[in-house]
């Protein structure tokens, strides 16, 4: 007897009409006939597996069971009626993503207690911070705000110097000879004011001026005049910004010899790490001699933008700007740019520094 597959679940004999046809019950979805006669049910939602793990198949019209038989569990065949539970996949939360704040319920009495406690703690912290900052302020500032008690002490000076020293150490560790300050065009030049520490010296010192070098590898002390320097070394030009510790800056056109060229021509002693640069013609505000000196690490002295300047804006230096030779260190603040220098001494240990002895930083890098 031949059979053919119909659209429903029954197989009818080809040569014999069915005598009794049961009305077909409507189900939410009609089963579809799959490969090899499997009746596949496609539910809208995932179902739990049936107890026992078996799959029932509708038999033939004559009541005989389907030749496929019941599907037993534990076989490698796919079980179309067994479906996994539906799992809702949540989008992973970014580690840095903003998370909703949890709702916290708190009794009003507890809230009032905590608010009062936090206010008292905040007030105590503010008073402690005020007292601590007052400890660090200069006495003149304290007097202006009504605190007349002198609270200067060795501990205060030690603390402030320690903080400056840490800042200097970090700046020195970050120094790079490959880092240069920006350069500018002549159209960007701005006025540069005369900013001697005290009074501008009388130009009478210029005819007898000499630059003395000490601490050399040769063990000698050498003196050079401005003609010696200009005749022996190449002149380099650069337009850079001079930054003053007072808060102003100016762009100027400089020319002179590189300090690195002088170091190569007259090498310092092998253990030298510092240079003491000084001006013996510097005057105080009253016009009295007030030698100016500062410390410069040799790494900065060898920087390609560090010059012994002889010219300013295309003209020889004037007295106001440090004639006949001044130090120009664009990677340092202006207080390191000594005017009218008369001596350079190389040393293994960090030498004295005029402004560091008055509470300023020693490194002064920018």
């Amino acid at each position: 007897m031949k059979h053919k597959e119909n659209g429903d679940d029954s197989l009818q004999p080809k040569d014999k009409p069915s005598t009794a046809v049961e009305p077909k019950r409507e189900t939410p979805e009609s089963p579809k006939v799959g490969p090899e006669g499997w009746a596949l049910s496609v539910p809208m939602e995932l179902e739990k597996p049936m107890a026992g793990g078996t799959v029932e198949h509708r038999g033939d019209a004559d009541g005989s069971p389907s030749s496929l038989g019941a599907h037993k569990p534990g076989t490698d065949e796919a079980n179309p009626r067994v479906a996994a539970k539906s799992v809702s996949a949540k989008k992973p939360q970014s580690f840095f993503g903003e998370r909703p704040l949890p709702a916290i319920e708190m009794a009003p009495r507890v809230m009032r207690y905590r608010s009062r406690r936090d206010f008292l703690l905040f007030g105590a912290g503010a008073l402690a911070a005020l007292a601590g900052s007052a400890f660090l302020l200069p006495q003149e500032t304290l007097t202006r705000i009504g605190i007349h008690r002198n609270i200067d002490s060795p501990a205060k000076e030690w603390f402030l110097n320690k903080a400056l020293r840490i800042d200097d150490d970090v700046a020195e560790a970050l120094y790079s000879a490959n880092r240069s300050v920006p350069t500018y065009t002549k159209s960007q030049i701005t006025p540069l004011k005369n900013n001697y520490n005290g009074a501008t010296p009388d130009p009478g010192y210029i005819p007898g001026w000499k630059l003395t070098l000490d601490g050399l590898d040769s063990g000698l002390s050498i003196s050079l005049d401005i003609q010696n320097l200009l005749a022996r070394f190449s002149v380099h030009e650069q337009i850079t910004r001079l930054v003053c510790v007072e808060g102003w800056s100016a762009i100027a056109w400089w020319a002179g010899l590189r300090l690195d060229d002088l170091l190569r021509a007259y090498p310092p002693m092998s253990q030298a790490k510092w240079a003491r640069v000084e001006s013996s013609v510097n005057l105080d505000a009253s016009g009295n001699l007030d030698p100016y000196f500062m410390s410069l690490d040799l790494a900065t002295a060898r920087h390609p933008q560090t010059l012994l300047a002889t010219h300013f804006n295309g003209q020889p230096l004037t007295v106001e700007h440090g004639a006949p030779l001044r130090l120009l260190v664009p990677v340092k603040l202006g207080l390191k740019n000594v005017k009218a220098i008369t001596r350079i001494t190389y040393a293994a240990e960090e030498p004295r520094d005029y402004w560091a002895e008055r509470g300023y930083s020693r490194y002064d890098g920018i």
Side-chain angles (χ1 to χ4, degrees):
M1 181 183 297
K2 295 182 180 180
H3 295 76
K4 69 177 181 178
E5 296 182 359
N6 296 323
D8 57 8
D9 292 336
S10 62
L11 299 175
Q12 301 292 341
K14 186 176 182 181
D15 57 349
K16 182 177 178 181
S18 176
T19 57
V21 179
E22 294 180 0
K24 183 178 178 181
R25 296 181 181 178
E26 294 184 358
T27 60
E29 290 184 18
S30 300
K32 298 179 181 179
V33 179
E36 300 181 1
W38 284 92
L40 302 180
S41 173
V42 185
M44 292 297 293
E45 297 181 357
L46 299 175
E47 301 175 354
K48 293 182 179 179
M50 297 175 59
T54 60
V55 180
E56 295 182 0
H57 295 274
R58 191 185 298 269
D60 293 341
D62 57 0
S64 61
S66 170
S67 60
L68 294 175
H71 180 73
K72 297 181 180 180
T75 64
D76 294 334
E77 298 176 1
N79 190 341
R81 293 285 294 179
V82 178
K85 291 183 179 180
S86 96
V87 178
S88 59
K90 294 183 178 180
K91 187 176 180 180
Q93 179 84 28
S94 171
F95 179 79
F96 296 102
E98 185 177 357
R99 290 170 172 79
L101 295 175
I104 301 176
E105 295 184 2
M106 186 178 298
R109 180 177 58 83
V110 177
M111 176 65 76
R112 287 192 297 270
Y113 167 74
R114 291 194 175 183
S115 299
R116 184 167 57 252
R117 183 194 62 181
D118 293 343
F119 176 77
L120 293 174
L121 288 175
F122 174 79
L127 290 175
L130 182 61
S133 61
F135 168 75
L136 300 176
L137 290 174
Q139 188 59 42
E140 294 180 1
T141 304
L142 294 174
T143 303
R144 285 198 302 268
I145 63 177
I147 302 176
H148 300 283
R149 180 185 175 187
N150 188 351
I151 60 174
D152 287 339
S153 66
K156 174 181 177 179
E157 184 176 357
W158 175 89
F159 180 83
L160 293 174
N161 287 335
K162 194 70 174 178
L164 280 175
R165 185 75 260 182
I166 292 173
D167 182 69
D168 289 346
D169 291 342
V170 172
E172 187 175 1
L174 295 177
Y175 171 81
S176 172
N178 299 321
R179 173 185 169 268
S180 299
V181 299
T183 56
Y184 302 88
T185 64
K186 292 180 180 178
S187 62
Q188 296 174 292
I189 292 174
T190 59
L192 178 64
K193 66 179 181 178
N194 173 16
N195 201 42
Y196 259 99
N197 174 47
T200 303
D202 185 273
Y205 70 88
I206 293 180
W209 177 92
K210 289 185 181 296
L211 173 65
T212 302
L213 302 178
D214 288 320
L216 299 177
D217 188 52
S218 63
L220 302 175
S221 179
I222 296 177
S223 294
L224 304 167
D225 59 27
I226 193 65
Q227 287 76 24
N228 295 142
L229 294 170
L230 290 174
R232 173 144 190 201
F233 299 100
S234 300
V235 174
H236 301 268
E237 294 185 354
Q238 64 188 36
I239 302 176
T240 52
R241 183 185 296 274
L242 179 67
V243 180
C244 183
V245 71
E246 297 173 351
W248 59 267
S249 66
I251 297 172
W253 171 23
W254 304 96
L257 58 135
R258 286 180 176 151
L259 181 51
D260 184 49
D261 291 342
L262 185 70
L263 285 164
R264 293 175 187 273
Y266 302 98
M269 56 184 179
S270 58
Q271 64 269 34
K273 296 181 180 179
W274 294 88
R276 172 186 164 104
V277 183
E278 58 185 292
S279 171
S280 61
V281 302
N282 192 76
L283 305 177
D284 62 16
S286 302
N288 301 314
L289 283 176
D290 182 25
Y292 186 79
F293 50 91
M294 71 88 185
S295 61
L296 183 70
D297 58 288
L298 287 189
T300 303
R302 292 189 171 101
H303 191 280
Q305 290 180 313
T306 300
L307 298 183
L308 292 173
T310 57
H311 290 71
F312 168 69
N313 286 346
Q315 300 295 325
L317 286 174
T318 60
V319 174
E320 290 78 16
H321 296 300
L325 189 74
R326 71 169 292 167
L327 181 64
L328 182 74
V329 194
V331 297
K332 298 281 190 178
L333 292 173
L335 51 82
K336 293 288 188 182
N337 294 247
V338 183
K339 295 179 180 179
I341 60 176
T342 55
R343 184 180 295 271
I344 299 177
T345 305
Y346 303 113
E349 300 296 329
E350 184 176 3
R352 293 173 58 199
D353 187 280
Y354 186 93
W355 288 111
E357 293 180 356
R358 289 157 176 79
Y360 286 79
S361 170
R362 292 180 178 271
Y363 194 74
D364 296 312
I366 58 174

